[in-house]
Amino acid sequence: MSQTDRSFPDLYEASITGLQNGLKSGLFTSVDLVKAYLTRIDEVNLKGPELRAVIETNPRILDQAAALDVERKEKGARGPLHGIPILLKDNIATDIIDGMNTTAGSFALLGSVPPRDAGVAAKLRGAGALLLGKTNLSEWSNFRGQVPSGFSGRGGQTTNPYLAMADPSGSSSGSAVASAIGLAAAALGTETDGSIISPSNKNNIVGLKPTVGLTSRAGVIPISKSQDTVGPMTRSVTDAAIVLSVIAGRDERDEATLAQPVVLPKYIESLRIDSLGGARLGVPRKYHSVFSKDPSVISAFEDALGVIKGLGAAIVDPADFPNAEELRQEQNEILIMETEMKEGLELYFSSLVENPNGIKTLDDLIEFNKKHANVELIEPHYASQTRFLSSRDREFDDTYHETLAKNYALARTNGIDATLKKFNLDAMIFPANSYLRTPAAIAGYPLITVPLGFQPDDMPAAEANPTIENGPGLPFGLMFLGPAYSEATLLGYAYAYEQATHTRLLRRALDAAVPRTQIQDVVGR
């Protein structure tokens, strides 16, 4: 069969399995695939719509792709990610062999060298994945201060591909945008509270926030050891399951991972179209304050409940938290994050093999930003570093320990766990822009979001300040929440809903934001 007789996957929507099939059949090589993705990035990242989703690419990626092509011929593929290009959020460390920076979007860490790959990067590399580059993010994972989502000093302002100058949400902004329009096969993001789920919700993709401790945070520039987690951001639930299967697992460098089950599920096996049959899903209505005034989200959510019932699930509605009001009024999550960030950042700085700007403490970082305000603290929108200033005086004192215990009791024992038990639920379901992300974040429990719908074309766009918060055509998602280590179950529910609706396919990004280059354009060149 000639190449002209075989169809190439469209990189806007290409699945990991589809790409792997093309590689296996010899239709194209990993070198071809990398060339296509690099060209696609070049088309829309700093040119055209200037989405600023990718902060840098791997300068050695073509040589690495060629080596994996040779290995495939001589030994066969290592697994489903062999020769597959994946983007990493720019707070996930990569080894110096790639020649890439790891900076959390800040000039303060430009040129710094971590001692090794982050745990998740090492797992990807070991599985044969190609680390294509680093994605832009809300600088320091949106915990420097009150700064618009998607901005970093190094990367500039990421914007949404579905509406010019629209908010991409954050902090894993670039990973969401890159995955949405096919700048890589998949991307990794990190979440402390909302940073995978919220940008996935805003960019029409699948985002999985794993249980804290299922994926390693070693080598990830931190905010909170109690809440940080690393997860896949993909165009399909299947791809999320494939990536999670590789990055999940124990890591001696991250103590939290040592508490995970000894044997993890085979996540791919949970993807069944009948997964929702017999499931009991609760709707915690008291937490839907964010979307309660948005008629488009309300209508799409109610329609989704009907679809899910039709797929055999029982919907318990309402299924409200017994401590809903107390949880909504709780403000102590920030105290925990500020306290843990100071220690976590300083430990990360101390681990660096090279640190050309001499950033050793949070105070050093604050002063660096002041001295380089022209690129870091840009007026009027990007000048804040209030979180850093609050964190500098935090200590691991009695208040911290008492607050952490109280937060776990509120979110876990008396919150999510109590609600699941009271209503005999398998999981909860709600729009992905719901406040319920926060109890899940505090508890360290998993979430998954899948595309739910789009704002109508006749919706007036909000005024840009500096990005547009809401407007015509912007996506929104549906989210499932479960107890610790319930990822296999949540993936199954999300897959069944995705396969019944195929909402992602109902609307493409703006024409100007869709790269034109395809694999067939670079094969043999």
Side-chain angles (χ1 to χ4, degrees):
M1 183 182 293
S2 69
Q3 283 188 353
T4 55
D5 294 326
R6 294 181 287 179
S7 60
F8 289 85
D10 177 357
L11 292 180
Y12 183 88
E13 208 61 54
S15 68
I16 290 172
T17 300
L19 294 173
Q20 196 60 248
N21 288 341
L23 292 167
K24 182 179 179 180
S25 70
L27 182 61
F28 51 86
T29 66
S30 288
V31 169
D32 295 326
L33 191 52
V34 165
K35 287 180 178 178
Y37 279 131
L38 290 175
T39 306
R40 289 171 70 84
I41 291 168
D42 183 65
E43 287 180 56
V44 298
N45 197 53
L46 299 180
K47 298 176 183 177
E50 297 183 24
L51 298 175
R52 296 186 178 273
V54 178
I55 210 166
E56 66 179 283
T57 55
N58 181 346
R60 297 167 188 164
I61 192 73
L62 286 170
D63 289 340
Q64 293 169 354
L68 284 168
D69 283 334
V70 171
E71 181 181 324
R72 179 187 296 275
K73 288 182 180 179
E74 295 180 348
K75 300 179 181 179
R78 300 183 196 180
L81 292 184
H82 186 110
I84 299 294
I86 293 179
L87 286 164
L88 309 181
K89 186 177 179 180
D90 185 41
N91 62 344
I92 300 174
T94 46
D95 193 276
I96 194 172
I97 61 171
D98 290 330
M100 289 192 290
N101 289 283
T102 304
T103 67
S106 172
F107 283 104
L109 292 186
L110 188 62
S112 66
V113 177
R116 64 188 69 83
D117 277 333
V120 289
K123 284 181 178 293
L124 288 173
R125 199 187 298 276
L130 287 159
L131 308 185
L132 180 62
K134 300 292 182 73
T135 57
N136 201 8
L137 70 165
S138 308
E139 189 174 305
W140 299 104
S141 296
N142 207 27
F143 216 68
R144 190 189 77 185
Q146 300 299 317
V147 177
S149 290
F151 169 82
S152 73
R154 284 192 65 214
Q157 177 66 63
T158 305
T159 55
N160 194 303
Y162 283 85
L163 178 66
M165 286 308 299
D167 174 22
S169 193
S171 64
S172 304
S173 315
S175 292
V177 172
S179 185
I181 58 174
L183 302 186
L188 290 191
T190 67
E191 176 155 333
T192 309
D193 186 340
S195 287
I196 290 173
I197 296 299
S198 185
S200 297
N201 163 73
K202 271 286 190 79
N203 288 277
N204 196 28
I205 64 168
V206 174
L208 173 62
K209 176 229 168 189
T211 303
V212 171
L214 181 64
T215 56
S216 174
R217 292 90 47 85
V220 176
I221 299 174
I223 294 178
S224 167
K225 63 185 179 182
S226 301
Q227 296 183 201
D228 289 349
T229 187
V230 184
M233 301 175 74
T234 60
R235 290 180 289 277
S236 71
V237 176
T238 299
D239 285 354
I242 290 171
V243 174
L244 182 65
S245 297
V246 170
I247 64 173
R250 298 187 175 208
D251 182 349
E252 295 295 329
R253 298 183 186 279
D254 182 357
E255 185 178 356
T257 65
L258 305 183
Q260 67 182 237
V262 174
V263 178
L264 295 177
K266 295 184 185 300
Y267 296 110
I268 292 295
E269 294 180 0
S270 68
L271 307 183
R272 304 188 316 274
I273 59 173
D274 63 351
S275 295
L276 283 164
R280 284 180 59 84
L281 305 180
V283 181
R285 291 279 175 182
K286 287 185 180 179
Y287 277 114
H288 289 185
S289 58
V290 174
F291 85 94
S292 61
K293 297 179 182 179
D294 189 327
S296 300
V297 178
I298 293 170
S299 175
F301 179 66
E302 299 302 334
D303 288 346
L305 292 181
V307 170
I308 289 167
K309 288 178 186 177
L311 292 170
I315 301 294
V316 182
D317 184 5
D320 285 317
F321 282 40
N323 64 344
E325 292 305 319
E326 186 179 7
L327 258 173
R328 288 181 63 172
Q329 294 170 14
E330 181 55 54
Q331 300 296 319
N332 286 328
E333 179 193 21
I334 297 299
L335 184 150
I336 299 301
M337 293 161 70
E338 289 179 347
T339 304
E340 294 180 347
M341 182 180 69
K342 178 184 176 182
E343 178 195 56
L345 286 181
E346 292 180 355
L347 284 171
Y348 181 84
F349 299 152
S350 70
S351 75
L352 295 172
V353 176
E354 294 183 24
N355 188 352
N357 289 315
I359 307 297
K360 297 180 180 180
T361 67
L362 185 57
D363 282 333
D364 291 340
L365 183 52
I366 291 168
E367 290 307 309
F368 178 92
N369 289 340
K370 290 178 180 178
K371 291 177 181 177
H372 300 85
N374 62 316
V375 292
E376 287 290 349
L377 306 180
I378 304 169
E379 297 285 358
H381 302 294
Y382 308 115
S384 174
Q385 52 178 342
T386 52
R387 291 290 182 216
F388 281 177
L389 295 170
S390 296
S391 298
R392 70 199 305 182
D393 298 322
R394 296 293 190 189
E395 301 290 344
F396 285 92
D397 53 17
D398 289 345
T399 299
Y400 163 82
H401 292 291
E402 291 167 4
T403 301
L404 183 62
K406 179 182 178 183
N407 283 358
Y408 281 154
L410 276 172
R412 292 178 180 175
T413 311
N414 303 324
I416 297 170
D417 296 347
T419 307
L420 293 172
K421 182 177 180 180
K422 177 180 179 180
F423 296 101
N424 191 27
L425 302 176
D426 298 301
M428 295 182 225
I429 184 171
F430 39 91
N433 61 356
S434 166
Y435 168 79
L436 241 163
R437 293 192 308 258
T438 294
I442 295 170
Y445 287 179
L447 297 167
I448 189 169
T449 182
V450 291
L452 172 62
F454 306 88
Q455 295 294 352
D457 290 333
D458 60 357
M459 178 183 192
E463 183 177 347
N465 185 37
T467 55
I468 297 168
E469 178 63 27
N470 208 355
L474 285 178
F476 48 83
L478 177 71
M479 186 159 59
F480 297 86
L481 178 156
Y485 303 110
S486 62
E487 285 81 2
T489 299
L490 299 184
L491 282 162
Y493 296 161
Y495 178 79
Y497 178 79
E498 173 196 62
Q499 294 302 301
T501 58
H502 295 290
T503 303
R504 171 174 162 78
L505 305 180
L506 299 179
R507 188 177 190 119
R508 284 166 68 94
L510 293 174
D511 188 63
V514 177
R516 297 296 189 264
T517 300
Q518 297 290 345
I519 305 172
Q520 56 267 40
D521 298 323
V522 301
V523 170
R525 298 183 183 179

